[in-house]
């Protein structure tokens, strides 16, 4: 593991969540210091943990969306410390049904729940609603309706031009 190879350690605290500690954690603690430990092994901050395997390089996963997928939810660790994915999705769908912004509602509800779950962290959430794919017959019908509308508009413009020309002769 990257962290242990660099002299750091991993401990499981607060309901079994992994925390990275620097190799000097216990020595610094004995000196009366409060050395950092971080819940994640990837972060922009935590400069004193960088020598012990903390990295800014993200883990990137690729996946294909299916026709059944309806939401993409990106949330900071603070959000997921409060809600699991099923609870988050329930809040999102209720917000959509009530005409509320799902991202705002998810963050608002998480902030309300934080004290009851003994969580202190920042919370960020981005919710993207994926519209269901339309069938080709629906697309064809929409296209035909647009063509008809355009044709009517052109006919109206032509008719107006003809009325403008009635009764007027050009004098040369």
């Amino acid at each position: 593991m990257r962290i242990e190879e660099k002299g750091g350690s991993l401990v499981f605290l607060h309901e079994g969540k992994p925390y990275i500690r620097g190799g000097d954690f216990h020595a610094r603690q004995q000196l009366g210091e409060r050395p950092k430990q971080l819940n994640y092994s990837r972060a922009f901050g935590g400069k004193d943990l960088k020598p012990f395997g903390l990295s800014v390089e993200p883990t990137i996963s690729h996946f294909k969306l299916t026709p059944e997928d309806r939401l993409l939810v990106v949330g900071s660790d603070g959000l997921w410390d409060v809600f699991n994915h099923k609870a988050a999705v329930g809040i999102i769908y209720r917000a959509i049904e009530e005409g509320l912004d799902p991202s705002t509602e998810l963050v608002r509800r998480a902030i309300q729940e934080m004290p009851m779950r003994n969580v202190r962290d920042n919370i960020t959430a981005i919710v993207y609603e994926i519209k269901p794919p339309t069938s080709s017959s629906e697309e064809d019908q929409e296209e035909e309706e647009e063509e008809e509308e355009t044709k009517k508009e052109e006919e109206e413009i032509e008719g107006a031009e003809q009325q403008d020309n009635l009764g007027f002769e050009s004098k040369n």
Side-chain angles (χ1 to χ4, degrees):
M1 173 182 247
R2 177 185 81 246
I3 294 163
E4 291 165 342
E5 288 172 1
K6 299 272 188 169
S9 64
L10 202 57
V11 292
F12 293 87
L13 306 169
H14 312 290
E15 299 176 17
K17 294 179 183 166
Y19 280 77
I20 181 177
R21 287 182 173 172
D24 60 350
F25 184 85
H26 293 294
R28 289 179 62 192
Q29 211 172 29
Q30 288 175 349
L31 293 172
E33 295 179 29
R34 297 192 70 200
K36 285 193 176 190
Q37 56 187 13
L38 189 63
N39 183 231
Y40 291 92
S41 63
R42 287 169 171 66
F44 292 113
K47 67 181 177 187
D48 57 337
L49 292 174
K50 298 284 190 213
F52 301 106
L54 182 65
S55 172
V56 297
E57 293 297 319
T59 298
I60 299 173
S61 301
H62 297 269
F63 56 93
K64 288 188 179 193
L65 295 175
T66 68
E68 291 80 33
D69 292 322
R70 294 290 174 261
L71 296 171
L72 174 64
V73 183
V74 179
S76 64
D77 63 315
L79 177 69
W80 305 120
D81 286 345
V82 176
F83 296 128
N84 65 29
H85 69 281
K86 289 182 180 180
V89 167
I91 292 166
I92 291 166
Y93 278 125
R94 275 192 296 285
I96 291 169
E97 286 173 9
E98 294 172 10
L100 302 171
D101 178 74
S103 299
T104 301
E105 189 63 11
L106 193 55
V107 170
R108 187 187 71 74
R109 291 280 305 279
I111 290 169
Q112 285 179 335
E113 288 283 324
M114 287 174 84
M116 289 162 290
R117 298 181 191 258
N118 200 25
V119 172
R120 280 190 62 180
D121 205 346
N122 59 348
I123 297 177
T124 302
I126 300 169
V127 177
Y128 178 76
E129 190 177 359
I130 302 168
K131 302 294 182 195
T134 57
S135 69
S136 59
S137 62
E138 287 177 16
E139 289 174 4
D140 291 345
Q141 185 178 354
E142 286 177 17
E143 207 171 289
E144 285 176 21
E145 288 172 3
E146 284 178 19
E147 286 176 11
E148 277 184 42
E149 196 172 310
T150 303
K151 189 175 179 180
K152 284 181 184 177
E153 288 173 0
E154 289 172 353
E155 288 173 356
E156 287 174 7
I157 291 171
E158 235 177 74
E161 287 175 351
Q162 286 177 356
Q163 282 183 342
D164 283 349
N165 290 333
L166 290 178
F168 295 100
E169 292 180 23
S170 68
K171 295 183 181 180
N172 292 342

